[in-house]
Amino acid sequence: MESSLIENKKVRYEWLDAVKAFAMVLVIFGHLGLNSITTYQSYASFIKLPLFFVASGFVFNPKKTKDTLLFLKSRIQRILLPYFYLCFVICVLNLILYRQDVATWLKDSLRSVFTGTIYMWFLPVLFLCNVMMFFVFRLIKGKNVPIIISAVLSLILGYVLIPEKPIPFSVNEVLIAYPFCIIGYYLKTTVLKWNNKILIALGSISLLLFSVLPLIYKHFNGRMNYINMKENHYSLFCFDILISLCGVIGIFLLVRYLKIPKPVSWFGQNTI
């Protein structure tokens, strides 16, 4: 009974809040137009959304909620409702600012909301990733090898299904984001149990690779590579995913050793 209570107790990691705050700042900077800076665009594109997916996997606890309805209710309240509230505000502002006729406005708004072509489009993707993890873990019963295989197969299928036009709720991106959630789940075990020296070395090597690999791509192709999950753009899919993994793993393993200012933790705590 005592061990069960410990398993279900919610633990707050201030450094994880800092990671989410950092990811949110990257997203905000992108909407402010800083994506026009080529070097920034390249490096930020590899980590700003994957960090959210890895963070979601990190806090995922398959033993905490076994009731399907309760799990879905909590994820709808935490992820989907803020998305639809934001969509409603943006759509109303569009109606006021652009003065469309109501029929055209309603049609454009519904298309934007359900095809994920609106701000914070990744929230439905995050919701579906959570649901996917919940049912995969329930079906496989937490066995490590099948879970890892499910992540690999999901990544392959996500690549095969990259569409030319947006599809509802960016479902193909769920398949690409799901492996990052799985990485986050296993990083939790890694971060809590491995020796600090090993973690620092692994984090440093990961960030070094994250820094160097885009430059190698630029050397051979004459331009920086980048990803845009919203528009299903990948310069070189497997290479891009490797860069993203190096970036998020390096950040997760090293940020926990930094002294995090309280305002940063507060900001991250109040994101998704």
Side-chain angles (χ1 to χ4, degrees):
M1 177 70 176
E2 184 179 351
S3 61
S4 175
L5 290 174
I6 293 174
E7 285 177 347
N8 291 335
K9 186 178 179 180
K10 187 174 182 179
V11 179
R12 176 122 242 134
Y13 301 93
E14 287 192 359
W15 61 267
L16 182 61
D17 292 331
V19 169
K20 293 193 293 181
F22 176 61
M24 183 58 71
V25 168
L26 293 179
V27 171
I28 293 172
F29 278 4
H31 289 307
L32 291 177
L34 289 182
N35 276 350
S36 60
I37 303 174
T38 304
T39 302
Y40 170 83
Q41 179 193 40
S42 175
Y43 283 105
S45 70
F46 292 117
I47 56 174
K48 60 184 179 183
L49 294 181
L51 281 173
F52 282 115
F53 299 131
V54 174
S56 181
F58 188 93
V59 298
F60 177 75
N61 183 356
K63 298 179 181 179
K64 182 178 179 181
T65 305
K66 296 184 178 180
D67 186 282
T68 302
L69 291 180
L70 284 178
F71 175 81
L72 292 175
K73 180 181 177 181
S74 69
R75 292 307 185 270
I76 289 172
Q77 291 176 338
R78 184 174 178 82
I79 302 174
L80 277 192
L81 286 183
Y83 172 73
F84 285 117
Y85 287 150
L86 179 64
C87 288
F88 175 77
V89 171
I90 292 174
C91 290
V92 170
L93 287 176
N94 286 339
L95 178 63
I96 296 172
L97 294 175
Y98 298 106
R99 298 181 181 181
Q100 296 174 300
D101 64 90
V102 175
T104 302
W105 168 78
L106 184 60
K107 179 181 177 181
D108 291 345
S109 297
L110 289 175
R111 184 174 64 248
S112 297
V113 170
F114 289 100
T115 58
T117 55
I118 202 166
Y119 294 127
M120 307 301 281
W121 61 272
F122 63 91
L123 290 179
V125 173
L126 187 62
F127 170 77
L128 293 174
C129 280
N130 275 244
V131 173
M132 188 173 176
M133 285 189 74
F134 178 82
F135 286 107
V136 167
F137 273 75
R138 170 171 287 190
L139 179 64
I140 298 177
K141 302 186 184 301
K143 296 178 182 177
N144 291 329
V145 173
I147 289 173
I148 294 172
I149 291 175
S150 75
V152 174
L153 291 177
S154 178
L155 190 63
I156 294 172
L157 188 58
Y159 171 71
V160 171
L161 294 179
I162 290 178
E164 294 183 0
K165 296 181 179 180
I167 57 178
F169 286 127
S170 303
V171 170
N172 67 297
E173 292 302 341
V174 175
L175 298 172
I176 296 174
Y178 168 76
F180 285 98
C181 294
I182 297 298
I183 290 290
Y185 173 79
Y186 283 108
L187 271 179
K188 184 173 185 177
T189 303
T190 301
V191 168
L192 294 181
K193 293 187 177 181
W194 281 18
N195 180 276
N196 285 341
K197 292 182 178 179
I198 296 177
L199 291 175
I200 292 174
L202 180 59
S204 300
I205 292 171
S206 297
L207 282 186
L208 179 62
L209 289 172
F210 172 69
S211 302
V212 170
L213 291 178
L215 299 179
I216 294 176
Y217 181 92
K218 182 179 180 181
H219 175 75
F220 287 101
N221 296 275
R223 57 184 174 81
M224 299 285 283
N225 59 327
Y226 70 98
I227 66 175
N228 187 328
M229 296 183 73
K230 178 181 178 182
E231 297 180 3
N232 299 294
H233 171 84
Y234 299 89
S235 300
L236 188 61
F237 184 79
C238 292
F239 193 68
D240 293 340
I241 295 298
L242 174 62
I243 295 172
S244 291
L245 289 176
C246 289
V248 297
I249 289 173
I251 290 171
F252 263 76
L253 295 186
L254 295 182
V255 166
R256 64 191 297 263
Y257 296 105
L258 301 177
K259 184 174 178 59
I260 309 300
K262 291 293 183 181
V264 175
S265 296
W266 177 87
F267 180 62
Q269 185 177 345
N270 288 279
T271 62
I272 55 174

